[in-house]
Amino acid sequence: MQKEKLRDVRKRKGLTQQQIADVLATDVSNYSRKESGDVAIRKEEWEKIAHFLEVPLEEIYQEEEAKQINHFDNITSSTSFGNNISGNYYCNVPEFLLESQRELIELLKKENLRLEEELKKYKK
C-alpha cells in the first residue's frame, strides 16, 4: 500500500526522496520502495521521518499491509522462502512439501513409540 500521506507531506514541504533516505541512512531506491509500500517502514523510521518533517507521526503514518509472497514459481532457483513484514514471515508452501513433512512426522511418531517400548524392557 502506497504511503500517500507521507508522500503528500514530503512533497508539500518540497523535499526529495533522497533527503528522506539520508535521514534514514539508506539509499534512495530503498526509500522509494518504502514510500511505495513495497518495503515495510519500521516504527523507529516512522519516528525519524516525522521528526525530520516536523509533523506529528499521525499526520504521515499509515499501517503496513501484510503481503503474501510466493517464491515457489521456480522452486529449484528460489533462494528465499518468504518475506519479512514487520517481523513476520509469510510464505506459500506447496502441498507436496507439506505432505512429505506429514509423512516424516508420522514415521518419527512410530519410531518414538517403538523406542519407548524398547526402553520399557530395560526398566523392568
Side-chain angles (χ1 to χ4, degrees), residues 1 24-25 27 38 52 64 76 80 85 89 93 110 121:
M1 174 174 73
L24 298 179
D27 58 79
D38 294 332
F52 179 73
E64 298 295 330
T76 57
S80 173
I85 312 259
Y89 287 91
V93 179
K110 288 177 183 174
K121 292 178 187 177

Side-chain angles (χ1 to χ4, degrees), residues 104-120:
L104 179 59
I105 289 168
E106 282 305 310
L107 180 70
L108 292 171
K109 284 179 180 178
K110 288 177 183 174
E111 181 66 9
N112 281 342
L113 287 173
R114 187 190 69 74
L115 290 171
E116 285 173 3
E117 292 299 319
E118 186 90 17
L119 280 173
K120 287 179 185 176

Side-chain angles (χ1 to χ4, degrees), residues 90-105:
Y90 299 90
C91 69
N92 294 328
V93 179
E95 187 61 35
F96 75 91
L97 289 178
L98 292 173
E99 188 56 37
S100 172
Q101 292 301 302
R102 288 183 196 113
E103 290 171 4
L104 179 59
I105 289 168

Side-chain angles (χ1 to χ4, degrees), residues 1-7 10 17 20-46 48-49 60-65 67 84 86:
M1 174 174 73
Q2 290 194 9
K3 308 299 185 256
E4 296 294 336
K5 290 166 58 173
L6 172 57
R7 183 182 325 223
R10 177 181 60 77
Q17 287 186 337
I20 306 290
D22 291 343
V23 169
L24 298 179
T26 190
D27 58 79
V28 71
S29 65
N30 188 45
Y31 175 73
S32 177
R33 289 190 297 272
K34 289 175 183 286
E35 194 174 276
S36 69
D38 294 332
V39 174
I41 300 175
R42 296 185 326 265
K43 182 181 182 212
E44 60 271 10
E45 291 175 324
W46 279 113
K48 282 182 183 180
I49 295 169
I60 61 169
Y61 179 76
Q62 288 178 259
E63 292 260 342
E64 298 295 330
E65 191 174 278
K67 292 183 179 181
N84 184 355
S86 303

